[in-house]
Amino acid sequence: MRKSVQPAALDDFDRRILAILQKDNTTPQREIGEAVNLSAPAVQRRIKRLTETGVIQANVAILDPDAVGHPITIFVEVEVFSETAEQIESAKREFARTPEIQQCYYVTGETDFILVVTVPTMADYDALTRRLFFGNNNVKRFRSFVAMDRVKVGLGLPVGV
């Protein structure tokens, strides 16, 4: 659930720091400072500001789905019957609280939502569809696309460096 945010005023130092952090957010501030020609305290202040202003939203570990027992990735298109604000918000809340759903997008076009789902087995996916889709009177239809290979996965953004 996204709030509207004005693009941040980022200078070249900020962009270079962000590029480094997107690759490895455990990079010591001293190393970042050397790479961008700033002192470690200056880097620390900039990272703090970037975090406080919401440019940096989280510091997380990216896990290997196979290693944690979720080897199957499925992309799901969901179409709903009613697109009232209340029904859409209800669907957003339901999808957001479902741990198997890694990503959820409310989109334009024939489909209303695109979901990225990870599950241990197809039996688990079947149970998930019964709970989320067949058990929901507002879901008109859904289509599933099982990923055969993870060619590129990431959330890194081009920051103009």
Side-chain angles (χ1 to χ4, degrees):
M1 295 182 232
R2 188 168 186 212
K3 57 185 179 213
S4 180
V5 177
Q6 291 294 322
L10 302 174
D11 65 16
D12 189 53
F13 289 115
D14 291 337
R15 292 178 188 285
R16 291 169 58 203
I17 290 168
L18 290 170
I20 292 167
L21 291 176
Q22 284 191 110
K23 290 180 185 160
D24 182 0
N25 75 341
T26 65
T27 304
Q29 293 174 358
R30 175 189 46 75
E31 285 182 33
I32 296 171
E34 290 170 6
V36 302
N37 201 24
L38 287 174
S39 69
V43 169
Q44 181 181 23
R45 285 190 300 275
R46 284 173 177 270
I47 291 172
K48 182 178 184 216
R49 178 180 47 80
L50 292 165
T51 302
E52 289 172 349
T53 59
V55 174
I56 297 174
Q57 293 185 344
N59 289 295
V60 298
I62 299 172
L63 308 179
D64 178 342
D66 294 332
V68 295
H70 277 246
I72 301 171
T73 300
I74 303 168
F75 299 86
V76 186
E77 294 179 346
V78 181
E79 187 179 344
V80 296
F81 283 112
S82 172
E83 290 190 65
T84 65
E86 181 181 315
Q87 291 280 19
I88 292 298
E89 291 305 315
S90 174
K92 287 179 181 180
R93 284 190 302 275
E94 179 70 21
F95 296 150
R97 73 173 160 247
T98 302
E100 297 89 347
I101 298 175
Q102 280 192 321
Q103 297 178 49
C104 171
Y105 299 93
Y106 178 48
V107 298
T108 62
E110 293 180 28
T111 295
D112 297 301
F113 292 94
I114 302 284
L115 311 177
V116 179
V117 175
T118 63
V119 289
T121 67
M122 288 307 292
D124 291 306
Y125 181 62
D126 181 54
L128 180 72
T129 63
R130 291 175 189 281
R131 188 175 79 243
L132 282 181
F133 309 134
F134 293 118
N136 185 331
N137 291 333
N138 196 35
V139 173
K140 184 175 183 180
R141 71 175 58 96
F142 69 96
R143 290 189 340 161
S144 305
F145 304 87
V146 178
M148 294 173 49
D149 190 11
R150 292 168 36 111
V151 178
K152 179 182 179 182
V153 178
L155 294 174
L157 297 171
V159 291
V161 177

